[in-house]
Amino acid sequence: MTTQTALIVDDEPDIRSLLEITLSRMGITTHTAPDLTTARSLLEQHSPQLCLTDMNLPDGNGIDLVHWIQQHAPNTPVAVITAYGNMDTAIESLKAGAFDFVSKPVDLPRLRELVNSALKLSEPGPRDTTEADQPGLLLGESAQIRKLRNQTRKLARSQAPVFVSGESGTGKELVARMIHMQGPRSDGPFVAVNCGAIPSELMESEFFGHKKGSFTGAVESKDGLFRSADGGTLFLDEVADLPLAMQVKLLRAIQEKAVRPVGETREVPVDIRVLSATHKNLTELVQEGSFRQDLFYRINVIELVVPPLRERSEDIPLLARHVLERIAREYECEPATLTQTAIEQLRGYEFPGNVRELENILERAFTLCDDDRIDADDLHLNGGMAPASPTNGEPEATEEPRIPDGNIDLEGYLESIERQAIEKALEATRWNKTAAAKRLGISFRALRYRLKKLGME
């Protein structure tokens, strides 16, 4: 087994000794330097798996060393030791490319967590998920998507908070998931939460957990999202939807790396990386006063912009093929292919719903096309569904469905009508699916798709 090495850079002998003893007890060989000049020389000689540097040094500062390492030893993660409470310096070091930071006086358990995470970067890396069987949101060969993939790989090596911005449907959660899976936390949990979907009165309990009996309905203790993500990544989607009162508590939890469950008197430490996203313009919300500037500053250390699909139309054929292959596997059919006319129509479409809309369009076209070929007419890019007409030349008299009074669960109501029509056709054809599909005026594939979707197989 290869011995792991670390470089400690600090001009205070007592701090160097403390760090050296701590790392030595972890089985790590250490080298020490009192200044930048010595540190650069040792980095060139030993190529350590980790560098810990103080911020204030006799011949410069820690951020100077971060910049130098980015240029000359990019595979060596560097963590900066900052003065207590100096969050501005910590954020500056992360922006410069530091892996992480730790504040003085150094909390040794926190230091050991940081060191273990950093050393995982020199181990055989986790599986690169770029070509994995995901929804295909980051597939493509356009300059924009190549840049985005490179950025996610680079950011995976850091612990800096990343803010993912982009329109709805572009794949912000997948970007966050890829940062997690390609980094040292890949063995830990990835917890995604839609901040806009949690009722405001339950937010504190959902995020931080609660003690049994702490409020009416708290029949048992609950960990909450922060503690569920311990050792991994917490992804805050639609973070702009958080109410101001919760923004204050979230900021404290992120800065202190600890949460206080509802009903508890003590804080519980958590080791998480925070990634966040929204389709809204967070800068404008800060100016309006509906989003706290200090929280924005804390979560937006590095911004990653996911391009809309219309700006990378050359990726559409590859994306479409990937989506159609996934749909075919899911419904156990042969994959459909797109005609050149259909491809050109897709490439000329604006896609306001981005890749999510492309998936919906192709799933609908898959059920409507004939002979495993999707033509332009099957796409219905204006949003309309093709009227299904019976193909046996004998259209049946149809009854006007009774629409219930009052509030309607539209999805459930339409599903029930679809289910009844399919059951009726199957009974009339003695459960011959080919004949039932013909009777319904849809393709056999469309019937199989609907049977699977409705759980009627």
Side-chain angles (χ1 to χ4, degrees), residues 122-411:
S122 61
E123 296 172 358
R127 181 170 60 93
D128 186 332
T129 59
T130 305
E131 300 296 334
D133 186 25
Q134 297 286 347
L137 302 180
L138 287 191
L139 290 177
E141 294 304 324
S142 62
Q144 297 96 319
I145 214 69
R146 285 176 181 269
K147 178 183 177 183
L148 183 61
R149 283 201 296 261
N150 288 335
Q151 287 174 319
T152 60
R153 287 193 197 99
K154 183 177 179 181
L155 292 175
R157 295 182 58 84
S158 165
Q159 295 300 291
V162 177
F163 175 66
V164 186
S165 64
E167 297 175 8
S168 293
T170 49
K172 296 185 290 296
E173 181 174 338
L174 181 61
V175 170
R177 195 176 291 274
M178 288 182 66
I179 291 172
H180 167 78
M181 293 183 72
Q182 294 180 102
R185 294 179 175 270
S186 60
D187 292 338
F190 177 88
V191 177
V193 53
N194 185 333
C195 298
I198 304 174
S200 56
E201 66 272 14
L202 297 177
M203 270 193 176
E204 190 171 356
S205 169
E206 287 293 315
F207 276 101
F208 308 139
H210 62 252
K211 184 180 178 181
K212 180 180 178 180
S214 56
F215 55 87
T216 304
V219 294
E220 57 184 26
S221 296
K222 180 178 182 178
D223 281 347
L225 295 163
F226 267 75
R227 284 192 286 172
S228 296
D230 195 34
T233 302
L234 179 63
F235 174 56
L236 303 173
D237 199 7
E238 298 306 342
V239 70
D241 292 341
L242 287 172
L244 283 167
M246 191 61 204
Q247 291 176 28
V248 177
K249 293 172 181 176
L250 179 64
L251 175 63
R252 175 174 173 78
I254 292 172
Q255 291 191 163
E256 300 299 322
K257 298 182 184 292
V259 297
R260 179 178 295 172
V262 177
E264 291 281 6
T265 56
R266 292 185 306 164
E267 289 192 330
V268 181
V270 287
D271 169 31
I272 61 169
R273 183 182 190 183
V274 174
L275 307 177
S276 55
T278 186
H279 70 281
K280 297 179 180 178
N281 187 323
L282 217 49
T283 304
E284 285 184 3
L285 296 180
V286 169
Q287 292 169 351
E288 292 169 7
S290 58
F291 198 86
R292 290 183 63 96
Q293 186 171 24
D294 48 6
L295 179 58
F296 173 72
Y297 188 44
R298 189 68 185 87
I299 64 173
N300 191 24
V301 173
I302 297 169
E303 183 174 1
L304 199 55
V305 180
V306 185
L309 185 55
R310 63 183 171 275
E311 291 182 6
R312 55 183 189 104
S313 61
E314 62 266 46
D315 292 333
I316 286 175
L318 176 61
L319 282 165
R321 187 166 67 248
H322 180 88
V323 171
L324 289 171
E325 287 171 356
R326 177 178 58 78
I327 293 170
R329 284 196 303 275
E330 192 173 335
Y331 296 107
E332 299 171 2
C333 299
E334 287 297 313
T337 57
L338 285 161
T339 65
Q340 192 58 40
T341 309
I343 290 172
E344 291 306 316
Q345 193 168 101
L346 286 172
R347 290 192 63 171
Y349 183 58
E350 282 290 298
F351 284 104
N354 292 292
V355 180
R356 190 180 298 137
E357 184 181 6
L358 173 65
E359 291 182 314
N360 292 337
I361 287 168
L362 292 175
E363 190 161 358
R364 184 179 64 200
F366 182 85
T367 69
L368 296 174
C369 72
D370 294 318
D371 303 322
D372 298 329
R373 281 167 58 82
I374 295 174
D375 208 348
D377 292 340
D378 299 313
L379 297 173
H380 301 288
L381 293 185
N382 293 329
M385 289 286 287
S389 58
T391 55
N392 57 7
E394 300 174 7
E396 295 185 4
T398 58
E399 294 180 8
E400 191 75 26
R402 193 184 74 79
I403 300 175
D405 296 326
N407 294 335
I408 300 172
D409 171 13
L410 185 60
E411 291 295 327

Side-chain angles (χ1 to χ4, degrees), residues 13-46:
D14 290 349
I15 298 290
R16 286 203 305 271
S17 296
L18 173 65
L19 297 177
E20 198 170 6
I21 290 167
T22 302
L23 269 60
S24 296
R25 286 176 178 169
M26 297 174 70
I28 300 165
T29 300
T30 58
H31 305 282
T32 62
D35 51 45
L36 286 179
T37 306
T38 310
R40 293 187 190 113
S41 175
L42 289 171
L43 280 162
E44 289 175 334
Q45 290 176 47
H46 300 287

